[in-house]
Amino acid sequence: MSTEVESAQKAPTPEVLAEVEREHEEELVTAGDNLEALNRMRSQFFGPKGRITSLLRSVGQLPAEQRREAGARTNQLKQTLEAKLVVRINALESVEKEKELRRSRLDLTLPGRLAHPRGALHPVNRVIEEMVDILTRMGFELATGPEVELDWYNFEALNFPKDHPARDMQDTFFIASPDGKGTLEHVLRTHTSPVQTRELERRGAPLRIIAPGRVYRCDSDATHSPMFHQIEGLWVDEGVSMAHLKGVLTSFINALFGERGVRFRPSFFPFVEPGVEVDVGCVFCGGTGCRVCKHTGWMEILGAGMVHPKVLENCKVDPERYTGFAFGLGIDRVAMQRWGIDDLAHLFRSDVRFLSQL
Ligand code: DAH
């Protein structure tokens, strides 16, 4: 800028300083409340190449006897003018800041917004946890087995002979063997009962286990899904009787549903003798009869029985020495009852809008 060059050559005489002061005054008026213009002024006058800076520098070129006074004058002016400018800039900046704060109205006392919505356990897992909790308190140990199972553990060892009609009721999915040939040796387990035979064979007696997990049947409608959940229980030891079965299952059902009454009916399953089906007083009508319980007042919830001696033998456990009972129940139905879910498929659609209501 030519003015800078000019003033760099001028010595800071009182006249020159008065002129600079006047200019400063004028520009201050022109800049008004324009913060940008004021900041520009600041560097024009006081920046490294600014007018005052140049004047200060030129003090050094004056004859020695003038330097002291000229330096003091220039410094004095610098301080006065820069202070004026800075006061103005600071005032405007704080007004701007105030405006900005008012505009964003940031209320620091508000609770924060969650960056990630909090998830929850799936209703099926909640029921599983509850059941496992009740049964482990009764001394049952948690066990697991594979979902792709051998025909032996899923059927044969459980006393389902090859052509037994009870196999038909299980709507089995068969798995091709690795060579691609359908040998019918591998199935998707149709129930959790194969964990009984696996664990009995592997660990022998005494044994007290529960085994929740996924099971598969070729069946699909509002109350059936090709994949669903069961929990199995097995207690084998010396002297285990039907009284143990009734006692354990009654406590289990009461803990799960509240005390609504428990009913045992004779039934058939190939791997138990005798076999029973167990009902609980209808959770919807409390036993007076409604559409859900088909006006019986009872809801069937599990199958059970005394372990068939043939099953113990198949698993190399001596049936003369050991006896036991087993039970199995569907978990999804319990979840449906608990939360009044009318379609089983809701449980497996993974729709957060549904799951977040529970
Ligand atoms: N596995 C049977 C089913 O899926 C349920 C069952 C019945 C399991 C009786 C048992 C039992 O352990 O003793 O239908």
Side-chain angles (χ1 to χ4, degrees):
M1 249 182 256
S2 63
T3 47
E4 280 174 18
V5 177
E6 247 171 60
S7 59
Q9 291 157 350
K10 275 184 192 164
T13 58
E15 294 72 35
V16 170
L17 290 178
E19 191 192 320
V20 172
E21 183 172 6
R22 196 169 34 75
E23 270 174 42
H24 187 274
E25 210 57 51
E26 273 172 21
E27 287 200 29
L28 206 57
V29 172
T30 319
D33 286 348
N34 186 336
L35 199 52
E36 240 176 77
L38 292 169
N39 276 317
R40 223 177 304 125
M41 258 185 90
R42 193 173 187 180
S43 68
Q44 264 166 32
F45 284 87
F46 311 102
K49 289 184 189 159
R51 304 197 51 184
I52 305 261
T53 319
S54 309
L55 284 173
L56 276 174
R57 218 173 281 134
S58 67
V59 169
Q61 289 152 20
L62 289 173
E65 65 279 8
Q66 293 176 22
R67 277 184 211 158
R68 193 185 163 88
E69 210 195 319
R73 262 201 310 267
T74 315
N75 260 325
Q76 176 68 43
L77 186 68
K78 180 185 169 190
Q79 269 168 26
T80 319
L81 297 188
E82 195 168 22
K84 260 191 198 173
L85 192 57
V86 168
V87 163
R88 186 81 154 270
I89 288 175
N90 285 349
L92 284 172
E93 274 179 352
S94 69
V95 167
E96 281 296 306
K97 206 172 276 174
E98 186 71 17
K99 269 194 210 156
E100 174 62 33
L101 282 176
R102 253 180 238 287
R103 211 174 311 134
S104 63
R105 286 199 185 248
L106 183 64
D107 182 351
L108 296 175
T109 65
L110 278 177
R113 253 172 253 152
L114 281 181
H116 303 286
R118 199 170 329 154
L121 274 187
H122 191 280
V124 167
N125 287 329
R126 274 201 255 174
V127 173
I128 291 178
E129 279 200 355
E130 199 179 320
M131 290 176 172
V132 168
D133 194 45
I134 297 167
L135 291 163
T136 48
R137 267 185 276 139
M138 292 190 207
F140 286 86
E141 238 182 276
L142 205 53
T144 55
E147 290 170 26
V148 174
E149 187 52 283
L150 290 169
D151 177 275
W152 168 257
Y153 294 110
N154 193 80
F155 291 125
E156 200 75 32
L158 284 165
N159 200 31
F160 286 81
K162 279 273 185 286
D163 298 311
H164 198 282
R167 284 195 179 205
D168 296 344
M169 292 166 56
Q170 304 241 348
D171 301 306
T172 311
F173 284 113
F174 291 92
I175 301 281
S177 45
D179 60 8
K181 289 188 193 128
T183 59
L184 307 185
E185 271 314 298
H186 296 88
V187 300
L188 286 182
R189 65 178 183 188
T190 58
H191 50 179
T192 42
S193 303
V195 183
Q196 287 187 33
T197 40
R198 274 187 175 272
E199 288 296 276
L200 261 184
E201 186 189 78
R202 190 169 74 86
R203 296 166 63 182
L207 189 66
R208 198 180 341 173
I209 53 163
I210 47 170
R214 278 193 267 270
V215 301
Y216 303 84
R217 290 186 199 181
C218 188
D219 199 354
S220 182
D221 60 37
T223 52
H224 296 89
S225 146
M227 184 283 295
F228 57 106
H229 300 81
Q230 288 188 340
I231 186 166
E232 194 77 14
L234 174 73
W235 185 350
V236 175
D237 203 341
E238 288 179 35
V240 174
S241 73
M242 191 79 181
H244 295 95
L245 179 154
K246 290 187 79 172
V248 165
L249 292 182
T250 303
S251 314
F252 173 55
I253 291 167
N254 284 343
L256 197 61
F257 294 98
E259 311 219 348
R260 317 174 161 272
V262 179
R263 179 170 83 162
F264 293 79
R265 287 180 289 110
S267 186
F268 172 79
F269 302 96
F271 41 94
V272 287
E273 179 57 32
V276 292
E277 263 167 336
V278 186
D279 301 336
V280 63
C282 178
V283 298
F284 293 98
C285 64
T288 55
C290 67
R291 214 164 43 88
V292 181
C293 62
K294 300 194 186 88
H295 303 283
T296 62
W298 297 96
M299 294 191 325
E300 180 197 321
I301 60 147
L302 62 79
M306 299 306 296
V307 179
H308 198 292
K310 196 85 182 86
V311 173
L312 295 175
E313 256 171 42
N314 287 339
C315 301
K316 316 269 182 307
V317 172
D318 180 4
E320 294 299 324
R321 182 168 170 202
Y322 292 104
T323 51
F325 72 85
F327 61 94
L329 73 151
I331 291 165
D332 317 272
R333 293 265 168 85
V334 175
M336 286 173 80
Q337 286 159 11
R338 174 87 34 110
W339 288 282
I341 300 163
D342 56 2
D343 187 350
L344 183 61
H346 282 314
L347 288 177
F348 308 127
R349 266 193 204 118
S350 300
D351 188 331
V352 185
R353 288 170 305 174
F354 164 75
L355 293 173
S356 58
Q357 291 173 49
L358 302 175

